[in-house]
Amino acid sequence: MQGAGTTAGARQESRMFKRLFATKHPHAVTGDANQLQLHRTLGPWGLTALGIGAVIGGGIFVITGQAAAEHAGPAIMLSFVLAAICCTFCALAYAEFAAMVPVSGSAYTYTYATLGELAAWFIGWMLVLEYGVSASAVAVSWTGYFLSLLDHFGVHLPAALVNAPLDAKLQPTGAIANLPAAGIVLLLTWLCYVGIRKSSAMNMAMVLLKSGLIVLVILAGWKYIDPANWHPFIPANQGPGKFGWEGVLRGAAMVFFAYIGFEAVSVAAQESHKPQRDLPIGMLLSLAICTVLYIAMAAVMTGMISYTQLGTAEPVVTAVAAHPQLGWLRVVVEIGALIGLSSVVLVMIIGQPRIFMIMARDGLLPPVFTKIHPEYRTPHINTVITGIGIAALAAVFPLDVLGELTSMGTLIAFAAVCAGVLVLRRTQPDLPRPFRIRFAWPVCIAGILSCLALLSTMTAHNWMLMVIWTAFGFLIYFLYGYRHSLVGAAR
């Protein structure tokens, strides 16, 4: 009897192991996409605009100044280069996956096809950081520029209503809530509720306007660069992560937050006219355009004013205000920042519900996340739930906490995608690949190592928060997802 019990227990453990690591064939993933029937309204330029809309925002208008003042100095330009190199490796991996598995879901979908269900859930939970929590972080940044603009008109809102009630150590600050941040999130949530066509058109308009304003700032500010502000280019190290080459790497980890939007293109695969052709174009082109703009803006900002003065909530305004001749440009910068940050939040609110929708389609989340509005053809209930959650985070938590967690979750997801490409090359070598990475092994390994290198600069406090976040995610999975998984039930 004891032997029989042991055998039954071993079988149960084997069955559980198989379910946790059950993969979903890429063809099955693609076939499921046809059941969701979202409108296909996005071409290559629309997808590129979607990527630019997600990327340009927090990085130029907030993170650049803080990273330069606290970690990298003028060498923040090198930090952007390092972050861009890491993103390029990851973008190539995303492009191969997105062309081969052209459905919504991003890294979650790709991981499910290669590393199994448990890993897919973990990456899906990390993507909540990349999309949902990052939208909250950008909304917090939006508040700073909004208050600066109101200052021109002599309007000053109560501090208790425009600041987070918790600080970076999660201690009470005495404030009530960041109401402007929550308000902009809820407004953009309504825009996403009424349809991808309307929100995509609005995003395209935002991208064109803010890109023009950024170019204007670069051209106008270039005349006021003092090369002396670039010396020393890499300030001497003053401690862990503070200047020196260590600070440059720490700065790269910070500004990585500014690059996360390029793969937002892949979550809109089901709304693309020709995903096999358009997705790689959209991701790589948006990444290239944004990298040039970032480096140019970083050069102008650190050249116009000493990097030590850029650690403000509105560093671009700080750099412009240092030159009275550019007084006319300050309002333009503030308006451009508000538009840029709004477009980032918009794209993230578009992306997050569609990831939840794909996870719910696989049974890992309740069916309510898959419901499509009969008129707007959007995941309406899902969008409302997501928007309320993002607004709540923006109202309560500070930028420090939200931004660092976003970078960590994104880096983990990117590393998983790079690993997934290599796994699928071994397990499914004959699958059609409309876009195929040349020298896949060195490229993907470089992507994994570069992500790990940036993760290594994060503090122990950030890792503690990440452990708590991960544990909460696995609790949801084992209480609901594991029991209702469609792939697992078929095993």
Side-chain angles (χ1 to χ4, degrees), residues 456-486:
S456 70
T457 67
M458 296 298 179
T459 64
H461 176 70
N462 291 334
W463 281 109
M464 180 190 71
L465 293 176
M466 177 59 71
V467 169
I468 295 173
W469 175 262
T470 302
F472 181 61
F474 279 130
L475 180 65
I476 295 175
Y477 172 72
F478 284 107
L479 288 179
Y480 184 89
Y482 178 78
R483 300 171 183 270
H484 297 84
S485 167
L486 298 182

Side-chain angles (χ1 to χ4, degrees), residues 226-367:
D226 181 1
N229 289 325
W230 289 337
H231 299 286
F233 187 68
I234 303 179
N237 182 264
Q238 300 178 12
K242 194 168 181 66
F243 305 117
W245 279 105
E246 188 178 349
V248 172
L249 188 61
R250 182 72 178 91
M254 286 189 67
V255 301
F256 192 86
F257 172 88
Y259 280 102
I260 65 174
F262 81 87
E263 63 92 52
V265 172
S266 68
V267 305
Q270 287 178 251
E271 291 141 290
S272 169
H273 292 305
K274 298 178 180 179
Q276 280 85 358
R277 181 200 68 181
D278 296 345
L279 290 180
I281 294 175
M283 281 189 282
L284 295 175
L285 186 57
S286 62
L287 178 60
I289 292 172
C290 293
T291 298
V292 172
L293 290 175
Y294 274 141
I295 295 174
M297 181 66 94
V300 168
M301 289 173 60
T302 56
M304 291 176 67
I305 190 174
S306 171
Y307 68 88
T308 59
Q309 301 178 46
L310 289 175
T312 65
E314 55 284 330
V316 182
V317 169
T318 301
V320 170
H323 299 273
Q325 305 94 321
L326 294 177
W328 61 272
L329 193 56
R330 177 175 174 176
V331 175
V332 176
V333 169
E334 290 166 344
I335 294 174
L338 291 175
I339 294 172
L341 298 176
S342 296
S343 68
V344 174
V345 176
L346 175 66
V347 172
M348 296 308 174
I349 296 176
I350 290 173
Q352 182 62 72
R354 284 155 179 79
I355 293 174
F356 281 153
M357 182 173 64
I358 300 301
M359 296 174 74
R361 181 201 64 196
D362 293 328
L364 303 184
L365 289 174

